[in-house]
Amino acid sequence: MEFLYIRLVKGRDLQSTSDPFVEVQIGNYKGTTRHFDRKPNPEWHQVFAFAKNHLQALSVVILVKDKMASSDRFLGKISIDMSDIPKHVPPDSPLAPQWYKLEGENGLMVRGELMFAIWWGTQADEAFSDAWHSDAAALWYLRVNVIEAQDLVPTEMNRTDPEVYVRAVFGTNVLRSRVSPNKSVNPSWNEDLIFVAAEPFGDPLVLTVEDKVDDLTGHCLGRLVMPLAKAEKSFLPTPVAAEWHNLERVDTNVKFASRICLRVSLDGGYHVFDEAISQTSDFRATMKELWTPAIGVLELGILNAKGLLPMKSKFGNGTTDAYCVAKYGNKWVRTRTVVDSFDPNWNEQYNWEVYDPYTVLTLVVFDNCHLQPGEAKDSRIGKVRIRLSTLKTDRIYTHSYPLLALYPNGVKKMGEIQLAVRFTCSSLFNLLQTYTQPLLPKMHYIHPFSVNQLERLRHQAAQSLSLQLSRAEPPLRKEVVEYVLDLGSQTWSLRRGKANFARITGVLTGFLAAWRWFNGIRQWKSPTTTIVVFLIYAILIYFPEMILPTLLLFLFGTGTFKYKKRPRLPPHMDIKLSYAHKAHPDELDEEFDTFPSSKQGQILTARYDRLRIIGTRMVMLLGDLATQLERLWSLLSWRDPRATAMFTLFCLIAAIVIYFIPLRIMLILAGGFVMRPPTFRINIPALPQNFFNRLPTKEDLMF
């Protein structure tokens, strides 16, 4: 895969009063360096890499700008035609940077020079690992800690107890703090408002301090617009320093004495989730300084697809214009569109660096509906997920995966796609060591987010990625990004609920089988087996140091025995596991319904009643669980004085008996009692169970 590399080294003789930075523009792609305060000879030493298959511009424009609060000031530019860029093939020595004079907007030479090198290269280039890639959207958590405000001026001068809150707007996302508990003109909050910000930080952070009128509106008492260039980047658990900012009135646009105290930081110590944690393709923190070395390389070959179904009509005939999108880490790739073919051939190869084997490669196939006018969205054909930990290292897996798509009228097999996958490991020791490391960066454990916060921030991250990838060429539409990130997995689905319940029962099947086997031992269905089990039990009681080694040897033997039955190929989407083949059409229609629901009348009433039935069963289950726990708690609560007295007296007698009788004898007697022959059994509840069922609960105190 070819890349266009640009190594920006330094500048000289720029304007002494400027805060210079460099912006590289290639069509819709853009890369930006950091800026320096009042430095006419800055040094950047930064590399940019742009994937060739995404570039359609005829020239590269390198702009030198002056960083300013409102809008950046143009200092000069350098334009280079794509045809004039040399090609570098390792092991040739790297191209030496050269000095270039800056040009003005009119094409004339202006003050200042820029040293850089530009060349065509591949992933084998030594600059690849250090380069900023155009495919990657660096996502940050923007933390706004609203502390307090001073000297606010209410819109109504006689209002002495304003209900003040802070409204924060970043891009299209809006958050609101709680109303300050001290209702005065000097309110305090000390509350965190978290956003997701994507580089380059174009949108400013807008804060308004408002006096609450009702649940939806409020009077603006002051406004602050803050560019994110002023936000401090941090990866430490210690908060950044608090700063006071003057507020401006919206109506007069004149500064006044009111001010607000904030801590604004870009937290690079977190991993910004854009996928579900169980299906994520990356766990690294945002800041590259926290990244560990790569443990290997993932190679994906997208070969071809067979037997695709027609997705649309063209001149009265069915047709499909298929393309693939793959995501791993923060790198997205898209194949070319094969027009009018049910058996498209792509034969394209992509590579990713791997930092953790517990990651998932996601590939989706879509029908390009934008080749014809009038089509609204690209249609999904299918999805493939491959978890790297299920792959053997240095082995090529060439396999056809079924393309399955779920629609309101049921699940369909849309065809098959053939992929070649290889996970190459550079160090087996480093690979095994990752299994002992924390899954997430340390900040997730030191200052964790709540589940609701992570889900809200995940949708913000998906929104930012959709906006950025829609500007690529060719663009990735919103429906494609959301399908890759699987945003619909958090919506209500009765089908998915049944599937998850089946997964739980599948895991518990082994425990149920063990209980059925032990119950057969208790019932003396095979007297020889029961006697042998009891003898083994007695030996372990008299030699307790053998219990743990015996258990570990049993697990070792089980794992060794199952090695012969290990999976030979990576798993694929399972219709039966997803309960897609048993889903009722009304359940699927409800799953694909919008939120709030677009249905009305009898359909909505029937679904509400069905949800009430499911909720009733859950309430009954929770009530039964609470009843059993309260009975356990009431053993010593004296709600039933006779039961508590009997239990405490039993504890005293049992303590004396156990003190004088060795523990081994007690365990042998208990085991013998449990495995006693059926002749000595009575099929009625045991004495402890009868006593426990008579303990009082709080259920009789409820309405």
Side-chain angles (χ1 to χ4, degrees), residues 221-235:
L221 305 182
R223 185 170 180 264
L224 172 67
V225 179
M226 176 183 293
L228 288 195
K230 297 182 179 180
E232 181 179 346
K233 293 182 178 180
S234 173
F235 62 90

Side-chain angles (χ1 to χ4, degrees), residues 72-362:
D72 301 327
R73 184 165 62 95
F74 174 83
L75 297 180
K77 69 176 182 178
I78 299 169
S79 298
I80 300 176
D81 291 337
M82 289 285 191
S83 58
D84 297 335
I85 299 175
K87 189 172 184 178
H88 171 241
V89 180
D92 295 347
S93 58
L95 296 178
Q98 300 180 18
W99 287 102
Y100 295 84
K101 289 283 294 181
L102 296 180
E103 298 179 356
E105 294 179 340
N106 54 5
L108 301 177
M109 296 296 177
V110 296
R111 176 181 175 180
E113 293 179 281
L114 193 64
M115 176 185 278
F116 65 91
I118 183 170
W119 71 93
W120 291 107
T122 64
Q123 288 175 305
D125 202 295
E126 60 183 11
F128 180 80
S129 59
D130 299 326
W132 174 93
H133 295 271
S134 60
D135 297 290
L139 300 177
W140 296 72
Y141 282 143
L142 172 62
R143 185 186 298 270
V144 184
N145 180 226
V146 184
I147 303 175
E148 59 178 326
Q150 289 183 353
D151 303 328
L152 299 178
V153 180
T155 54
E156 300 177 6
M157 300 305 296
N158 58 351
R159 184 172 171 83
T160 58
D161 55 347
E163 299 182 9
V164 184
Y165 62 89
V166 176
R167 184 171 179 266
V169 180
F170 181 72
T172 58
N173 299 298
V174 181
L175 294 179
R176 213 176 87 166
S177 73
R178 68 182 188 278
V179 175
S180 173
N182 53 332
K183 299 180 180 181
S184 66
V185 294
N186 299 313
S188 61
W189 300 275
N190 196 21
E191 182 178 351
D192 285 340
L193 305 177
I194 312 294
F195 295 93
V196 173
E199 291 184 343
F201 307 120
D203 296 325
L205 173 66
V206 181
L207 299 175
T208 55
V209 181
E210 299 183 1
D211 184 8
K212 181 179 178 181
V213 177
D214 52 41
D215 292 337
L216 299 177
T217 60
H219 292 304
C220 179
L221 305 182
R223 185 170 180 264
L224 172 67
V225 179
M226 176 183 293
L228 288 195
K230 297 182 179 180
E232 181 179 346
K233 293 182 178 180
S234 173
F235 62 90
L236 299 175
T238 55
V240 299
E243 295 181 354
W244 286 95
H245 301 269
N246 291 330
L247 296 173
E248 297 181 356
R249 275 201 178 273
V250 180
D251 51 356
T252 59
N253 199 25
V254 177
K255 292 183 178 180
F256 63 107
S258 299
R259 57 180 188 164
I260 188 171
C261 184
L262 305 170
R263 289 191 182 96
V264 181
S265 62
L266 292 164
D267 291 352
Y270 291 93
H271 170 71
V272 180
F273 284 100
D274 52 3
E275 304 160 295
I277 188 172
S278 60
Q279 303 165 5
T280 190
S281 58
D282 192 13
F283 292 101
R284 293 172 295 169
T286 300
M287 294 195 75
K288 291 185 177 181
E289 290 80 0
L290 302 178
W291 291 5
T292 57
I295 61 172
V297 175
L298 172 64
E299 299 172 83
L300 171 66
I302 304 176
L303 304 180
N304 54 63
K306 298 293 184 181
L308 298 184
L309 297 182
M311 301 300 296
K312 57 181 178 288
S313 177
K314 183 178 181 181
F315 304 118
N317 298 319
T319 182
T320 298
D321 307 321
Y323 67 92
C324 300
V325 175
K327 178 188 184 297
Y328 184 79
N330 54 3
K331 180 181 176 182
W332 298 65
V333 297
R334 171 175 172 164
T335 66
R336 68 186 186 278
T337 299
V338 179
V339 180
D340 196 13
S341 175
F342 300 133
D343 302 313
N345 290 286
W346 292 286
N347 294 319
E348 298 185 17
Q349 181 178 352
Y350 302 96
N351 299 331
W352 290 269
E353 287 188 329
V354 178
Y355 294 86
D356 195 309
Y358 186 69
T359 46
V360 177
L361 167 69
T362 302

Side-chain angles (χ1 to χ4, degrees), residues 474-488:
L476 286 181
R477 312 286 176 181
K478 180 181 179 181
E479 61 271 16
V480 179
V481 176
E482 291 183 351
Y483 188 53
V484 172
L485 301 180
D486 203 14
L487 287 185

